Amino acid sequence: MNIFRLTGDLSHLAAIIILLLKIWKTRSCAGISGKSQILFALVFTSRYLDLLTSFISLYNTTMKVIYIGCAYATVYLIYTKFKATYDGNHDTFRVEFLVVPVGGLAFLVNHDFSPLEILWTFSIYLESVAILPQLFMISKTGEAETITTHYLFFLGLYRALYLINWIWRFYFEGFFDMIAIVAGVVQTILYCDFFYLYVTKGEGRSQLSIPTLFISQLTNV
């Protein structure tokens, strides 16, 4: 494992922990898109079914279990424990416009036409766009708490570091995965505008005007 993958994993873990602590400490899930969290739970579930069939390493297994557990814990906090604080009126992204096309693409473009491989491919494609409901929610409210922006920043940093990881593996290991790289590029692009706003807005509640013309069209169909 190279340093870029390790720091990417740690950035991903930091994002998840930041979000969970935010919800738990404030006893509120205000500003958090439950739909994005459901999509992430679906991503981890479909990607890590190999936990039942293979063992790679203790680190690999531990991280997979943590990701799955934290994803469902977040969904539980949003839709059950702190449901009264969930802002469903602003969390209106039409997720079917993500899940259905991604599912179809996973059947058409994959490395091997087998159940586990199709599900893994589905998870890669879905993860690249799973943050859209959260970004759309921020664009509708016009602001995000600092802790929420930290969560998004570390989530975007995780993907950017993984892109470097793929480049590293190509040059030093001869490994190349077009599906993962293209999906990673798409996901990183979605965060680019947010990265700029994160750096320039500073502390406090950030007024985020993320461009969402395309997203708005999807949700208003």
Side-chain angles (χ1 to χ4, degrees):
M1 179 187 298
N2 61 68
I3 188 64
F4 300 110
R5 178 176 177 179
L6 177 60
T7 52
D9 286 345
L10 294 178
S11 294
H12 194 186
L13 185 60
I16 294 172
I17 293 174
I18 285 171
L19 184 64
L20 279 172
L21 288 178
K22 181 268 180 188
I23 296 174
W24 188 258
K25 286 187 176 182
T26 62
R27 319 297 287 181
S28 170
C29 55
I32 304 298
S33 169
K35 291 186 176 182
S36 269
Q37 297 310 312
I38 288 176
L39 292 180
F40 282 124
L42 183 58
V43 164
F44 296 137
T45 302
S46 56
R47 180 177 303 172
Y48 298 143
L49 287 174
D50 62 347
L51 280 171
L52 304 175
T53 61
S54 61
F55 177 81
I56 298 175
S57 69
L58 180 60
Y59 171 83
N60 183 275
T61 298
T62 300
M63 294 300 286
K64 289 178 179 179
V65 171
I66 290 175
Y67 289 151
I68 294 174
C70 288
Y72 282 99
T74 304
V75 171
Y76 167 76
L77 293 179
I78 293 174
Y79 286 101
T80 303
K81 191 170 184 63
F82 303 123
K83 183 179 180 180
T85 65
Y86 169 56
D87 187 8
N89 292 329
H90 288 121
D91 194 14
T92 57
F93 193 95
R94 301 283 296 277
V95 294
E96 62 268 28
F97 286 105
L98 299 178
V99 176
V100 175
V102 160
L105 185 62
F107 270 94
L108 296 173
V109 183
N110 52 67
H111 295 308
D112 180 54
F113 198 77
S114 64
L116 284 181
E117 187 63 32
I118 291 174
L119 287 171
W120 178 87
T121 306
F122 169 77
S123 77
I124 295 296
Y125 292 152
L126 184 61
E127 186 182 21
S128 69
V129 294
I131 199 61
L132 284 177
Q134 180 67 66
L135 296 179
F136 179 70
M137 187 176 184
I138 291 175
S139 74
K140 289 191 70 175
T141 60
E143 63 180 18
E145 295 180 6
T146 299
I147 197 69
T148 306
T149 62
H150 291 343
Y151 160 71
L152 291 173
F153 174 79
F154 278 102
L155 208 56
L157 181 62
Y158 140 67
R159 289 315 310 177
L161 287 168
Y162 252 66
L163 280 181
I164 302 175
N165 160 65
W166 293 123
I167 295 172
W168 176 278
R169 294 191 66 183
F170 173 72
Y171 279 103
F172 293 96
E173 300 175 16
F175 181 82
F176 183 78
D177 188 330
M178 179 61 74
I179 290 176
I181 291 175
V182 171
V185 169
V186 170
Q187 188 173 359
T188 304
I189 289 174
L190 290 177
Y191 284 96
C192 284
D193 185 60
F194 172 79
F195 283 152
Y196 171 76
L197 293 171
Y198 179 89
V199 172
T200 59
K201 292 300 180 182
E203 296 298 322
R205 294 180 68 86
S206 303
Q207 300 297 318
L208 302 179
S209 55
I210 298 174
T212 54
L213 177 59
F214 172 70
I215 304 174
S216 299
Q217 291 174 341
L218 285 181
T219 57
N220 291 326
V221 171

